[in-house]
């Protein structure tokens, strides 16, 4: 953490929670995190409960995010969701290029870039995910993969756009596996991402960019991760489904 950057903790609920369950989870989280003012808190429930969760957090310190969007404004794109639909439900953020989207739904760097352009064009803030697989890490390709994903996602972004982007470094081997990157392993890649952004933009843009870590973040490991200079927040999957765990992660010292 660096005091110049406001921490951002986001919970990615993935494909979990019916509307009754979502209302219950959101209200429990709200009881625990109201009054936390010195960091950004974001909830990313499934599309089907955005409205429900939006109602539970309206007017509070917690922001609503979607887990995906489509790059066209509207039309014959069965099963897709537009930026305008997300804004209509009160979303401020959208997660783009999560590794599960890349892995199971064939999202490429080019698609991630198109989604990012659309999100920003419509006024959403974006959390853009990058991360290497276990095989890529073992083959010594981590840096190359991260640089390619960062460059691909950010293609065409202006300095002003960069102010609305958060990058999430999520090593695929650490997501949902209980295997967290060590703070040092995560920090090394966060520095790499910041250097890449410095090469593409200005010192200010690189220094302002918030980079979250994601991958089996828990109440037990959040403080050691957040103690690193270049780790500015967490993208939390599994632990965000448990109100106490998520609240403890949000309120890390
Ligand atoms: C995620 O979904 O972005 C994630 C990091 O999941 P988990 O915390 O369960 O590893």
């Amino acid at each position: 953490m660096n005091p110049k950057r406001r921490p951002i903790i986001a919970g990615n609920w993935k494909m979990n929670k019916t509307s009754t369950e979502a209302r219950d989870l959101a209200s429990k989280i709200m009881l625990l995190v109201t009054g936390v003012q010195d960091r950004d808190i974001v909830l990313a429930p499934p599309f089907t409960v955005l409205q429900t969760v939006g109602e539970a957090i309206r007017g509070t310190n917690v922001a609503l995010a979607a887990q995906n969007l489509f790059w066209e404004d509207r039309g014959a794109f069965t099963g897709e969701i537009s930026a305008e639909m997300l804004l209509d439900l009160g979303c401020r953020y959208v997660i783009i290029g999560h590794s599960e989207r890349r892995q199971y739904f064939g999202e490429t760097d080019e698609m991630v870039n198109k989604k990012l352009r659309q999100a920003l064009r419509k006024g959403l803030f974006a959390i853009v995910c990058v991360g290497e697989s276990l095989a890529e890490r073992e083959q010594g390709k981590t840096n190359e993969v991260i640089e390619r994903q960062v460059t691909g996602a950010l293609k065409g972004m202006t300095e002003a756009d960069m102010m609305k982007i958060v990058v999430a470094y999520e090593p695929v081997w650490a997501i949902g596996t209980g295997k967290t990157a060590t703070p040092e392993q995560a920090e090394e890649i966060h520095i790499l991402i910041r250097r890449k952004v410095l090469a593409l933009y200005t010192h200010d843009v690189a220094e302002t960019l918030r980079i979250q870590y994601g991958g089996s973040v828990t109440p037990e490991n959040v403080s050691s991760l957040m103690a690193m200079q270049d780790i500015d927040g967490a993208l939390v999957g599994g632990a965000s489904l448990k109100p106490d765990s998520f609240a403890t992660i949000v309120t890390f010292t």
Side-chain angles (χ1 to χ4, degrees):
M1 231 174 92
N2 178 321
K4 282 189 288 189
R5 295 185 290 267
R6 185 176 162 88
I8 175 166
I9 313 291
N12 173 14
W13 293 8
K14 310 194 184 189
M15 195 177 72
N16 292 292
K17 303 299 170 189
T18 61
S19 56
T20 312
E21 293 165 348
R23 190 174 296 112
D24 182 58
L25 176 57
S27 55
K28 283 184 175 146
I29 290 173
M30 290 315 300
L31 284 176
L32 297 167
V33 305
T34 42
V36 179
Q37 297 295 349
D38 60 348
R39 56 206 66 184
D40 290 332
I41 308 168
V42 180
L43 296 183
F47 291 132
T48 47
V49 296
L50 281 171
Q51 177 137 18
T52 304
V53 175
E55 281 162 10
I57 67 179
R58 184 165 302 143
T60 72
N61 53 329
V62 178
L64 191 64
Q67 298 172 17
N68 185 22
L69 91 176
F70 191 55
W71 57 73
E72 294 289 347
D73 284 355
R74 67 184 63 79
F77 302 102
T78 302
E80 293 297 330
I81 303 284
S82 73
E84 210 169 304
M85 293 169 183
L86 301 182
L87 289 163
D88 184 46
L89 293 179
C91 286
R92 250 171 90 72
Y93 290 85
V94 59
I95 298 173
I96 296 178
H98 190 280
S99 66
E100 286 150 17
R101 301 290 324 162
R102 294 179 190 256
Q103 196 177 343
Y104 304 130
F105 303 99
E107 286 195 12
T108 61
D109 292 330
E110 195 190 353
M111 290 159 79
V112 169
N113 179 254
K114 283 165 92 166
K115 291 182 176 199
L116 182 56
R117 284 173 192 240
Q118 177 71 348
L120 300 185
R121 199 165 69 80
K122 294 291 179 177
L124 287 158
F125 288 82
I127 296 175
V128 183
C129 305
V130 298
E132 81 288 1
S133 66
L134 183 59
E136 287 162 341
R137 176 162 281 261
E138 286 175 348
Q139 290 159 24
K141 290 187 179 159
T142 301
N143 293 12
E144 181 192 321
V145 169
I146 300 299
E147 292 199 4
R148 192 201 68 225
Q149 291 179 343
V150 169
T151 311
L154 299 182
K155 201 170 164 199
M157 298 300 142
T158 65
E159 276 186 37
D161 291 335
M162 290 302 293
M163 300 300 149
K164 304 187 82 185
I165 294 173
V166 173
V167 173
Y169 168 56
E170 298 207 304
V172 177
W173 48 271
I175 296 180
T177 58
K179 242 194 234 173
T180 322
T182 64
E184 293 73 23
Q185 278 175 323
E187 175 71 0
E188 187 187 337
I189 305 304
H190 283 229
I191 290 172
L192 176 83
I193 294 169
R194 209 176 293 288
R195 289 220 181 107
K196 189 73 213 167
V197 169
L198 177 63
L200 296 168
Y201 297 93
T202 60
H203 183 261
D204 262 14
V205 169
E207 281 302 303
T208 312
L209 176 73
R210 294 185 294 177
I211 308 175
Q212 294 176 306
Y213 168 77
S216 300
V217 174
T218 63
E220 290 73 34
N221 60 31
V222 66
S223 297
S224 59
L225 288 160
M226 291 301 298
M228 307 309 286
Q229 267 288 313
D230 289 276
I231 300 185
D232 309 309
L235 180 52
V236 186
S240 74
L241 298 172
K242 298 177 208 133
D244 290 335
S245 298
F246 187 64
T248 308
I249 292 171
V250 165
T251 54
F252 74 92
T253 48

